[in-house]
Amino acid sequence: GDELFTLADFDPLVARIFLPEREVLDVSVGQPVRLALRAREETRFAGRIRQISPVVDTASGTVKVTVEAVRPPASVRPGAFVTVEVLRETRNNAVLVPRPAVIRELQETYVFVADGKVARKRVVDVGLEEGDRLEIRSGLKPGEQVITTGQGGLKDQAPISVAPAKAGSTS
């Protein structure tokens, strides 16, 4: 009667998440997701929605969604805590900028672009948002340098001094 061992099913690895009812309306079986280990955030891997419960939990207003990992790294174990990002929409060749670069004032959204030794104000149209990055649908060309620090007090054509990017920085 002694327990000798425990079996664990590694294939497939699944995570169960609970989404608010309004968010589940835009989610479908087979939709891609991104997963990251909480213990090691840099360990990221793909997944997909495997199953969506047909029932809303009346106590919480949430729906259980089962996510399946697709070829997870060997370091991922059953029972590990993960962060799940549901991919709702993707756009190829999108222009992305760090969130702090975008300034929103009343009816206007803009960034400052480093143009030689002056700052140029550019009105932009913001699209999708992901974490600390925003998609710019218009008003900015790929490769242009946006100002991410100290732009709060800038005016169009103000003189600037561009500091070199820190090592490992993607901004």
Side-chain angles (χ1 to χ4, degrees), residues 54-65:
V55 179
V56 177
D57 179 335
T58 56
S60 65
T62 62
V63 176
K64 182 169 82 169
V65 176

Side-chain angles (χ1 to χ4, degrees), residues 17-68:
I17 60 174
F18 297 85
L19 296 177
E21 180 182 12
R22 69 183 177 288
E23 290 185 21
V24 173
L25 298 174
D26 298 327
V27 173
S28 60
V29 171
Q31 189 169 344
V33 299
R34 285 190 294 221
L35 298 106
L37 273 180
R38 285 249 181 108
R40 184 177 289 150
E41 296 271 329
E42 65 272 10
T43 303
R44 297 178 173 273
F45 49 101
R48 66 178 154 256
I49 294 178
R50 179 177 174 173
Q51 185 176 21
I52 301 169
S53 173
V55 179
V56 177
D57 179 335
T58 56
S60 65
T62 62
V63 176
K64 182 169 82 169
V65 176
T66 304
V67 172
E68 176 180 16

Side-chain angles (χ1 to χ4, degrees), residues 90-96 135-137 140-142:
T90 58
R91 295 193 183 144
N92 295 326
N93 303 316
V95 176
L96 301 175
E135 175 195 22
I136 303 298
R137 292 191 293 201
L140 192 63
K141 296 178 197 148

Side-chain angles (χ1 to χ4, degrees), residues 20 26-27 37 45-46 71 78 99 103 113 118 120 124 130-131 148 150 156 163 167:
D26 298 327
V27 173
L37 273 180
F45 49 101
R71 295 183 302 281
R99 186 178 296 273
I103 300 168
V113 175
V118 297
R120 303 269 186 213
V124 294
E130 178 187 31
T148 60
D156 190 36

